[in-house]
């Protein structure tokens, strides 16, 4: 990965050289501050004041130049507008063509100005991140809060870019009117969805999308996917993205995610009954549910490696494995074999292609819609999680065809087998394998197969550091701007062991939190059928409704957190609060003295689940910021590590349920909640210790 200073230098327009952020000078100043504080010749308060003043001066230079250029562009558009008005009275084809080219020339200059704003915004984020890392101080939060909403704030001009929006609108409108509309009297305002057939407008819109990106909710949803992209992509890189992108292939990847999540949770309401019907204890449902996660521990690795060479073949293999697994699962009832049941679930786990789904979005979806695709991935997962139990609640029937039994236990297997067969046919007909020749001729993309992760929050929250600030947290050497980072600091990890050695203490804490939240969520979901049957005599349909309602809370909670709460509090505050709420949810779930009621179980479960969902999004956002850049690509990437952490947590949780079953169903709830409580308390302590030591 090329150092940002060199990238900044290469992308500068020579005539504007004195108006860009002086990243090299500021980086050296940060280094000097660190030396002065270490030697005791300078106090922290003076450093903060001096650095703030330096940043203010840099931003003021950028803003004044930006306003000057906006004025020049507006003046040129106004003069062209006069010519345009004259041509409407006496239209001449040659002059109309010349006018259109003149507007396009203005568009190219506007495009350069948008790139100017973008590269300066990235430079500001990076230097603030470097300062925070050097001094262990949340200067970024202080600087944004004190400057962003001040009446004399320069940040508003840079990051809200209202003036630029007006220039973009005027240019687009005039180019639209110069198009041959074949006698139409409608304007751009009458048909806002009418496409503009002009390349320069497409380029401008793409640049504006990178600046403002999307809504906070979309950003928060995309963080769950931990899919990262390069900052400042070159036009050739964007062209490669467009060449490799195929909408139907993206839709097939999202459908794979949706079906896999349904397949995971459709058996939860009936797993205990199925185990009992095969002569096993109800708590064996833990092993039945967890068998899929056991296989996923291994499938995540080989699918991650396989996606380096192909996307189509792994998806075909996934569909076949899941089809076979569901057939085995459904036939286990008539064969009367718990082992066939477990083998079926293992096959389903071996078909987990979520790593391929994420990798496709990271590598093949154009930057301008990658955030929407990532949010779509998370939404498909959440919807599948809700639809799985709901579908199980509908499949309440019992009949036989020849020697095959179709009931609430076997129908989930038969339905999913049919679904995967239909999906396989659709995949074979519609999927388009991206060109890997194009990929090999480019610098390796920084892709991630994570459970998820974070995209750029855009310039609506411009200085809140994102995953795209790909500075190696372990080897954050201050390279000279004229040099590239050393080769060894850019190579991806070649093994799980090497990847683990790249983890800093803060990354390990984030992975511990991820382990904890996946563990407590799996305990809640997997034992719900056994617990509710024992205490409340719930039917399968009631359990299915309860689990479906939990799944349906995912999107509304993310809307609230992404649109409101994340703007009011720091991520670390939300993180710690969510951990505490998860711990409280676990405590409230214990059955101590008073009779255990439905109200207690539902309220505590809802609190635990919602808090864990909030915690997952914030935790993955923070994880992407402290992850080494060497772990953002390759087979053994940071996403794979987080996926493995979550999958292992699910395996241990399901094993805990089965082992606790030997103590009897009356003890199951408290015995399984005790490890959840211990892990959640330990993660809170680790979080407090880590961030207190950093800040």
């Amino acid at each position: 990965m090329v150092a940002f200073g060199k990238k900044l230098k290469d992308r500068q327009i020579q005539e504007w050289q004195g108006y860009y952020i002086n990243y090299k000078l500021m980086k050296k100043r940060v280094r000097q501050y660190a030396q002065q504080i270490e030697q005791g010749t300078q106090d922290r308060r003076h450093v903060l004041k001096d650095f703030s003043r330096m940043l203010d001066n840099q931003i003021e230079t950028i803003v004044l130049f930006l306003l000057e250029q906006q004025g020049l562009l507006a003046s040129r558009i106004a003069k062209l507008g006069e010519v345009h008005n004259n041509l409407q009275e006496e239209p001449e084809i040659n002059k109309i063509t010349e006018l259109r080219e003149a507007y396009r020339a203005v568009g190219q200059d506007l495009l350069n100005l948008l790139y100017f704003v973008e590269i300066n915004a990235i430079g500001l984020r990076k230097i603030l991140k470097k300062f925070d890392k050097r001094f262990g101080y949340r200067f970024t939060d202080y600087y944004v809060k004190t400057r962003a909403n001040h009446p004399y704030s320069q940040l508003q001009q840079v990051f809200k870019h209202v003036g630029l929006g007006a220039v973009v609108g005027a240019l687009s409108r005039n180019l639209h009117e110069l198009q041959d509309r074949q006698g139409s009297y409608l304007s751009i305002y009458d048909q806002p969805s009418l496409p503009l057939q002009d390349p320069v407008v497409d380029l401008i819109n793409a640049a504006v999308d990178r600046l403002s990106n999307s809504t906070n909710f979309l950003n928060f949803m995309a963080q769950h996917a931990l899919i990262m992209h390069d900052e400042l992509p070159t036009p050739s890189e964007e062209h490669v993205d467009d060449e490799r992108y195929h909408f139907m292939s993206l839709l097939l990847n999202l459908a794979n995610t949706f079906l896999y999540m349904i397949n995971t949770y459709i058996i939860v309401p009936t797993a205990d009954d199925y185990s009992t019907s095969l002569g096993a204890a109800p708590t064996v449902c833990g092993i039945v549910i967890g068998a899929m996660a056991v296989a996923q521990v291994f499938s995540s690795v080989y699918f991650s490696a396989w996606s380096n060479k192909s996307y189509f073949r792994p998806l075909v293999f996934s569909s076949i494995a899941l089809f076979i697994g569901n057939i085995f699962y459904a036939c286990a009832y008539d064969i009367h074999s718990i082992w066939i049941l477990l083998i079926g679930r293992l096959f389903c786990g071996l078909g987990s292609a979520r790593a391929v789904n994420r990798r496709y979005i990271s590598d093949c979806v154009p930057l301008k819609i990658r955030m929407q695709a990532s949010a779509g991935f998370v939404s498909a997962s959440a919807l599948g999680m809700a639809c799985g139990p709901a579908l199980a609640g509908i499949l309440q029937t019992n009949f036989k065809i020849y020697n095959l039994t179709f009931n609430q236990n076997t129908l989930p297997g038969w339905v999913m087998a049919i679904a995967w067969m239909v999906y396989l046919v659709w995949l074979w007909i519609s999927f388009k394998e991206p060109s890997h020749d194009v990929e090999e001729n480019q610098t390796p993309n920084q892709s991630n197969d994570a459970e998820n992760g974070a995209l750029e929050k855009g310039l609506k929250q411009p200085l809140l550091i994102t995953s795209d600030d790909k500075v190696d947290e372990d080897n954050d050497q201050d390279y000279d701007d004229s040099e590239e980072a050393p080769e060894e600091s850019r190579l991806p990890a070649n093994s799980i062991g090497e990847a683990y050695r790249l983890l800093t203490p803060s990354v390990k804490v984030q992975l511990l939190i991820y382990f904890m939240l996946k563990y407590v969520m799996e305990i809640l979901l997997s034992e719900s059928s056994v617990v509710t049957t024992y205490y409340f005599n719930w039917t399968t349909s009631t359990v299915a409704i309860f689990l479906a309602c939990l799944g349906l809370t995912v999107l509304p909670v993310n809307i609230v957190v992404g649109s409101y709460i994340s703007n009011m509090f720091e991520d670390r505050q939300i993180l710690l609060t969510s951990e505490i709420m998860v711990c409280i949810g676990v405590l409230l779930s214990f059955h101590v003295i008073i009779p255990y009621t439905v109200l207690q179980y539902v309220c505590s479960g809802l609190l635990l689940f919602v808090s864990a969902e909030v915690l997952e999004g914030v935790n993955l956002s923070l994880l992407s910021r402290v992850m080494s850049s060497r772990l953002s690509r390759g087979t053994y990437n940071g996403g794979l590590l987080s996926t493995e952490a979550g999958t292992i947590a699910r395996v241990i949780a399901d094993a805990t349920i089965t082992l606790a079953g030997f103590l009897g169903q009356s003890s199951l709830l408290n015995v399984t909640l005790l490890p959840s409580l211990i892990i959640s308390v330990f993660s809170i302590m680790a979080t407090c210790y880590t961030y207190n030591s950093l800040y």
Side-chain angles (χ1 to χ4, degrees):
M1 178 182 64
V2 179
F4 175 76
K6 176 172 172 51
K7 187 179 286 189
L8 173 62
K9 186 176 180 180
D10 292 342
R11 295 289 295 271
Q12 285 183 0
I13 298 173
Q14 292 302 316
E15 295 81 2
W16 297 356
Q17 197 166 8
Y19 303 102
Y20 287 91
I21 181 175
N22 197 332
Y23 183 77
K24 184 175 181 180
L25 174 64
M26 298 186 76
K27 189 171 65 173
K28 289 181 178 178
R29 187 63 61 87
V30 170
R31 215 166 33 232
Q32 291 172 2
Y33 289 148
Q35 293 172 355
Q36 291 170 358
I37 290 178
E38 187 177 344
Q39 295 168 1
T41 58
Q42 197 69 269
D43 61 29
R44 187 178 293 259
R45 187 184 295 263
H46 181 273
V47 166
L48 294 176
K49 182 179 179 181
D50 190 53
F51 190 65
S52 297
R53 183 169 57 247
M54 187 178 183
L55 267 178
D56 290 339
N57 292 335
Q58 291 279 324
I59 293 173
E60 185 175 275
T61 300
I62 296 169
V63 168
L64 293 178
F65 178 75
L66 176 63
L67 292 174
E68 178 187 354
Q69 292 301 311
Q70 284 180 206
L72 292 174
L73 290 174
S75 177
R76 289 169 62 186
I77 292 176
K79 291 179 180 178
L80 292 175
E82 295 176 2
V83 177
H84 191 181
N85 291 333
N86 294 332
L87 282 176
Q88 287 181 332
E89 297 176 1
E90 298 179 6
E92 296 182 24
I93 294 179
N94 291 337
K95 290 185 178 180
I96 290 176
T97 302
E98 292 176 1
L99 181 60
R100 186 185 294 118
E101 292 303 318
Y103 273 121
R104 286 174 179 162
V106 175
Q108 289 293 339
D109 291 339
L110 174 59
L111 197 58
N112 289 334
L113 193 59
L114 289 168
Y115 285 147
F116 171 82
V117 175
E118 180 181 18
I119 199 170
N120 280 295
I122 294 170
L124 286 170
R125 284 203 305 273
K126 283 185 173 291
I127 201 64
L128 283 166
K129 180 179 181 180
K130 188 174 288 291
F131 187 90
D132 283 355
K133 183 175 182 294
R134 281 276 188 173
F135 301 104
Y137 184 79
R138 286 176 286 193
F139 178 76
T140 300
D141 297 328
Y142 158 77
Y143 193 81
V144 172
K145 288 179 179 178
T146 55
R147 266 70 172 175
N149 296 315
H150 195 277
Y152 304 131
S153 171
Q154 305 281 13
L155 286 177
Q156 294 290 341
Q157 288 291 334
V158 177
F159 298 117
K160 296 297 182 182
H161 48 83
V162 176
L164 284 174
V167 176
V168 171
L171 184 66
S172 300
R173 183 185 67 82
N174 282 282
L175 279 172
H176 178 271
E177 289 186 355
L178 289 172
Q179 287 182 353
D180 181 11
R181 299 191 304 279
Q182 299 180 349
S184 172
Y185 292 96
L186 297 177
S187 72
I188 190 175
Y189 302 109
D190 298 315
Q191 291 180 306
S193 61
L194 191 67
L196 288 172
Q197 305 298 326
D198 202 296
V200 72
V201 174
D202 292 337
L203 290 172
I204 289 171
N205 289 334
V208 170
D209 286 342
R210 283 202 305 272
L211 278 175
S212 56
N213 242 324
S214 187
T215 64
N216 293 333
F217 165 58
L218 207 59
N219 286 302
F220 192 79
M221 291 295 293
Q223 288 170 4
H224 284 66
L226 242 170
I227 299 169
M228 298 184 278
H229 58 261
D230 290 325
E231 288 177 331
L232 296 177
T234 63
S236 62
E237 289 170 337
E238 292 181 345
H239 178 63
V240 169
D241 278 341
D242 290 335
E243 281 186 353
R244 306 185 74 201
Y245 174 61
H246 182 236
F247 173 74
M248 188 58 70
S249 299
L250 172 61
L251 191 61
L252 282 161
N253 274 279
L254 297 180
N256 183 280
T257 297
F258 174 69
L259 288 176
Y260 184 80
M261 293 303 290
I262 291 179
N263 214 144
T264 300
Y265 290 99
I266 194 172
I267 72 157
V268 173
T270 58
D272 59 333
D273 288 338
Y274 205 165
S275 301
T276 304
S277 68
L278 298 179
T283 52
V284 173
C285 69
I287 292 180
V288 174
I289 297 170
M292 198 168 178
V294 171
Q296 191 178 344
V297 172
F298 303 99
S299 66
S300 296
V301 178
Y302 67 73
F303 271 118
S304 181
W306 203 351
S307 62
N308 291 325
K309 299 181 179 180
S310 174
Y311 301 98
F312 176 69
R313 287 191 291 272
L315 290 176
V316 170
F317 176 82
S318 166
S319 304
I320 294 173
L322 283 155
F323 173 77
I324 295 173
N326 282 290
I327 292 293
F328 272 63
Y329 183 86
C331 291
Y333 186 87
D334 292 305
I335 300 174
H336 200 74
S337 172
I338 190 70
W339 294 107
I340 296 296
L341 186 72
L342 294 175
I343 290 172
R345 291 295 287 177
L346 286 171
F347 264 97
C348 290
L350 292 175
S352 172
R354 288 170 66 81
V356 180
N357 305 145
R358 300 182 193 99
R359 186 69 174 268
Y360 184 88
I361 294 173
S362 177
D363 290 354
C364 303
V365 175
L367 182 63
K368 58 188 176 183
I369 62 169
R370 195 172 298 164
M371 180 175 293
Q372 289 90 330
S374 301
F377 173 84
V378 176
S379 300
S381 299
L383 190 59
M385 183 180 181
C387 288
L391 188 58
I394 296 173
L395 301 175
Q396 300 297 304
T397 186
N398 191 352
F399 62 92
K400 295 191 73 168
I401 299 179
Y402 296 106
N403 293 323
L404 296 177
T405 302
F406 296 86
N407 57 24
Q408 65 176 12
N409 296 325
T410 63
L411 275 173
W414 292 119
V415 169
M416 293 311 302
I418 294 172
W420 285 112
M421 178 56 67
V422 172
Y423 174 82
L424 180 60
V425 174
W426 181 24
L427 178 74
W428 196 274
I429 295 173
S430 303
F431 191 87
K432 180 182 177 182
E433 180 75 84
S435 172
H436 288 270
D437 294 335
V438 175
E439 181 181 12
E440 291 169 1
N441 292 331
Q442 300 294 323
T443 302
N445 280 340
Q446 294 191 350
S447 60
N448 200 332
D449 308 330
E451 188 63 40
N452 330 227
L455 292 174
E456 172 154 22
K457 283 199 174 185
L459 299 183
K460 292 185 178 180
Q461 293 180 329
L463 301 182
L464 300 181
I465 309 304
T466 70
S467 64
D468 299 305
D469 299 321
K470 296 189 188 318
V471 179
D472 193 329
E473 295 293 342
D474 307 309
N475 304 293
D476 189 18
Q477 304 171 25
D478 292 309
Y479 306 115
D480 187 86
D481 288 352
S482 63
E483 299 176 356
E484 291 189 4
E487 185 67 27
E488 61 271 13
S489 72
R490 294 184 282 134
L491 295 175
N494 294 319
S495 66
I496 287 286
E498 184 179 351
Y500 182 79
R501 287 192 293 273
L502 291 173
L503 301 181
T504 61
S506 56
V507 174
K508 292 177 181 177
V509 170
Q510 302 304 141
L511 289 176
L512 171 65
I513 294 172
Y514 194 68
F515 177 93
M516 179 272 290
L517 68 91
K518 287 296 182 182
Y519 182 90
V520 298
M521 287 176 70
E522 189 71 9
I523 289 290
L524 171 66
L525 298 175
S526 295
E527 71 176 11
S528 58
S529 182
V530 179
V531 169
T532 54
T533 300
Y534 178 79
Y535 285 104
F536 317 126
N537 291 319
W538 279 9
T539 62
T540 299
S541 298
T542 309
V543 177
I545 293 171
F546 171 68
L547 294 177
C549 290
L550 288 181
L552 289 174
T553 62
V554 174
L555 293 180
V557 167
N558 282 320
I559 291 175
V560 173
V561 176
S563 300
Y564 302 103
I565 297 179
S566 62
N567 294 329
M568 299 167 60
F569 303 98
E570 299 173 15
D571 282 353
R572 291 183 179 90
Q573 293 175 326
I574 302 174
L575 180 83
L576 185 57
T577 303
S578 300
E579 285 185 88
I580 294 172
M581 296 307 293
V582 168
C583 187
I584 293 174
V586 173
L587 280 171
L588 293 177
S589 299
F590 276 93
H591 178 210
V592 188
I593 300 174
I594 59 175
Y596 204 57
T597 63
V598 173
L599 181 64
Q600 179 185 351
Y601 178 77
V602 171
C603 291
S604 60
L606 186 63
L607 175 64
L608 191 155
F609 186 84
V610 169
S611 301
E613 276 297 323
V614 174
L615 180 60
E616 181 176 2
V618 178
N619 179 62
L620 292 173
S621 173
L622 289 170
L623 181 62
S624 67
R625 304 179 194 179
V626 294
M627 187 76 74
S628 167
S629 61
R630 292 180 62 188
L631 294 175
S632 63
R633 56 193 181 275
T635 300
Y636 302 98
N637 52 60
L640 178 64
L641 293 180
S642 60
T643 300
E644 294 293 88
T647 305
I648 291 172
R650 291 171 53 204
V651 171
I652 296 175
D654 291 323
T656 302
I657 294 171
T658 300
L659 293 175
F662 289 105
L663 301 177
Q665 293 189 45
S666 60
S667 304
L668 176 66
L669 181 66
N670 289 346
V671 171
T672 54
L673 287 176
L674 186 59
S676 302
L677 179 62
I678 294 172
I679 296 172
S680 61
V681 170
F682 184 73
S683 71
I684 293 172
M685 294 171 59
T687 301
C688 293
Y689 175 79
T690 301
Y691 290 121
N692 283 339
S693 63
L694 285 176
Y695 301 110

